[in-house]
Amino acid sequence: MSIDLGKMPKLGFGLMRLPTKNGVIEHERVCDMVDRYMKAGMNYFDTAYVYHGGKSEVAAREALVKRYPRDSFMIATKLPAWEIHKAEDVERIFNEQLERAGVDYFDFYLLHSIEDGGNYDTYVKYDCFDWCMQRKAEGKIKHFGFSFHGSPELLREIVDQHPEVEFVQIQLNYLDLTNPVVRSGELYEILAERGIPIIIMEPVRGGMLANMPPETEAKFKARQPEKSVASWALRFVGSLPGVMTILSGMSTEDQMNDNIGTFTDFEPLAEDEKTIIEEVAAELLSVPQIGCTACKYCVDGCPMKIIIPDVFRTINTLRRYPDDWRSKNFYSGLVSRSGKASDCINCGQCERVCPQHLPIPELMQEAAEILDK
């Protein structure tokens, strides 16, 4: 059963950055956001075994599965290589996911974060491609694919060896198009050439492309004064051929409303708008930034309880605005409830799970020198 792209909503609801209070997902707010999204005629929900410390799939059950007919929505989740230590773990995790989400099947099932080395080797070792096809034959998976953070060379090898793969999820935005580490422009071309449907993650790069210096933002506002800066990033990826769904990890009602507005009566980029985006990308890339997308994969396993993405957010802000006192105040509040940069013990746990392949311990040392003097 092939994917009917005509039935796929352009905007997918990513359940990785749900609203929380004191570390607990705010159920009523999530229900309200699900309702707004569904009312807009959109119905693709993306979760994973590890999101929100294992609570995201449960949130999907409570806010979506229990409240809407099963055939009215599509739910995607992912198998995490780093949780697989023996063959039996694959089936155990999958059954746990079905129970957490309260479903009998997943519409879309992904091998999570394939990359060169570790994760891919694990999926091969435990025959996860074949295992997923067996679950598909049983009707427990409707569509099979993977999310990808590796090299173009590996992507080409996998999709050519595995024609059973129905879709691939990649990180793509106008800042990473030519990024020499992410190489998302090359990844996109490989999939587009083969006609493989593409799911886009990090279209706003963890919020980086929603918050910009005033002089940069002015370039967008001069052309589309009523549109948000984030909408430009979403329209960029939404204008690309072959894109199946664009995921946004919406954590506030305002983000939800703005994104729904962008994809209701969607307007592809005009040629002059593409030129503006090229100018903005060049401007942003001229200021070195830590390429963190705030996925928080690094946070749960940190023995020192450091909220690493927020540390990097502080450093990135200071790189753009060296004299901004608010960044230091933000960091002071951060360390009042978590570890500080200088607490890093260089264990490397964070680096092993980082989809962006950042040298996190090295960056934490730099952050400590700036923030913990």
Side-chain angles (χ1 to χ4, degrees):
M1 180 172 59
S2 62
I3 299 170
D4 184 348
L5 295 183
K7 292 184 178 180
M8 298 299 301
K10 276 294 187 187
L11 175 65
F13 191 168
L15 306 181
M16 185 172 76
R17 299 184 177 100
L18 294 172
T20 61
K21 186 174 183 179
N22 300 322
V24 178
I25 294 172
E26 295 184 88
H27 172 70
E28 290 191 6
R29 287 184 67 193
V30 174
C31 288
D32 180 59
M33 293 172 73
V34 167
D35 292 345
R36 294 184 194 207
Y37 177 74
M38 291 285 282
K39 187 177 179 181
M42 304 174 187
N43 63 349
Y44 184 92
F45 296 83
D46 174 86
T47 183
Y49 186 74
V50 296
Y51 290 172
H52 282 281
K55 300 298 184 183
S56 176
E57 291 168 333
V58 176
R61 180 187 71 209
E62 298 300 312
L64 175 68
V65 177
K66 285 185 175 181
R67 299 173 63 243
Y68 285 89
R70 181 64 184 91
D71 61 358
S72 68
F73 61 85
M74 294 174 281
I75 186 168
T77 194
K78 310 174 189 76
L79 178 70
W82 51 97
E83 298 287 344
I84 302 172
H85 306 292
K86 55 184 183 296
E88 294 77 13
D89 286 340
V90 178
E91 191 75 21
R92 175 187 60 78
I93 290 170
F94 183 73
N95 288 333
E96 187 177 346
Q97 290 177 299
L98 291 171
E99 183 178 352
R100 282 183 183 179
V103 296
D104 296 323
Y105 66 90
F106 291 109
D107 301 273
F108 293 80
Y109 197 73
L110 298 81
L111 302 181
H112 199 169
S113 192
I114 287 186
E115 57 187 37
D116 304 70
N119 289 355
Y120 180 56
D121 291 347
T122 297
Y123 293 131
V124 171
K125 178 179 180 180
Y126 294 108
D127 295 320
C128 291
F129 285 84
D130 289 342
W131 180 90
C132 285
M133 294 308 293
Q134 291 169 18
R135 301 293 82 75
K136 184 180 176 184
E138 295 168 0
K140 293 182 178 181
I141 296 171
K142 299 300 181 185
H143 300 290
F144 165 60
F146 57 87
S147 64
F148 191 77
H149 288 283
S151 67
E153 292 78 15
L154 178 61
L155 178 61
R156 189 178 294 109
E157 175 188 330
I158 294 173
V159 294
D160 287 347
Q161 288 182 358
H162 293 279
E164 71 272 22
V165 169
E166 297 174 85
F167 66 96
V168 177
Q169 183 169 309
I170 62 170
Q171 176 175 320
L172 180 61
N173 53 70
Y174 64 75
L175 210 59
D176 282 326
L177 202 60
T178 57
N179 185 316
V181 175
V182 181
R183 299 170 72 184
S184 58
E186 295 177 66
L187 302 181
Y188 170 79
E189 290 298 333
I190 290 169
L191 298 173
E193 286 170 0
R194 289 161 176 76
I196 298 173
I198 304 166
I199 298 177
I200 301 296
M201 54 182 161
E202 303 296 353
V204 193
R205 218 176 192 285
M208 184 183 295
L209 301 182
N211 301 287
M212 297 184 184
E215 61 274 15
T216 306
E217 185 173 327
K219 294 181 184 294
F220 289 136
K221 293 298 184 181
R223 177 65 170 78
Q224 292 268 22
E226 75 285 2
K227 301 292 186 181
S228 70
V229 172
S231 72
W232 285 75
L234 294 172
R235 289 175 62 217
F236 172 80
V237 289
S239 300
L240 297 172
V243 171
M244 180 173 105
T245 294
I246 298 155
L247 299 177
S248 178
M250 295 170 277
S251 54
T252 69
E253 292 80 358
D254 286 346
Q255 289 174 358
M256 170 73 70
N257 292 337
D258 185 52
N259 290 354
I260 288 174
T262 297
F263 286 100
T264 301
D265 299 323
F266 179 76
E267 298 178 16
L269 290 173
E271 288 304 314
D272 68 311
E273 291 177 314
K274 293 177 184 178
T275 300
I276 293 171
I277 281 184
E278 289 173 4
E279 292 173 359
V280 167
E283 208 168 282
L284 294 175
L285 290 169
S286 69
V287 179
Q289 297 277 283
I290 298 172
C292 173
T293 62
C295 68
K296 294 191 176 180
Y297 291 0
C298 58
V299 174
D300 287 343
C302 177
M304 306 310 292
K305 308 300 181 186
I306 305 169
I307 304 179
I308 297 167
D310 284 354
V311 174
F312 291 163
R313 175 182 167 191
T314 306
I315 293 298
N316 280 340
T317 304
L318 286 171
R319 286 181 178 182
R320 280 198 181 128
Y321 308 100
D323 300 321
D324 188 352
W325 57 268
R326 289 169 297 187
S327 297
K328 295 292 183 71
N329 278 10
F330 172 79
Y331 183 71
S332 296
L334 177 66
V335 299
S336 70
R337 62 182 189 277
S338 67
K340 56 184 184 291
S342 56
D343 290 338
C344 176
I345 59 174
N346 199 25
C347 67
Q349 183 280 145
C350 50
E351 196 167 4
R352 288 192 291 274
V353 298
C354 177
Q356 309 305 319
H357 310 293
L358 298 174
I360 296 178
E362 180 183 321
L363 292 168
M364 293 300 288
Q365 184 176 347
E366 175 193 339
E369 292 170 357
I370 296 170
L371 301 170
D372 295 335
K373 291 179 180 177

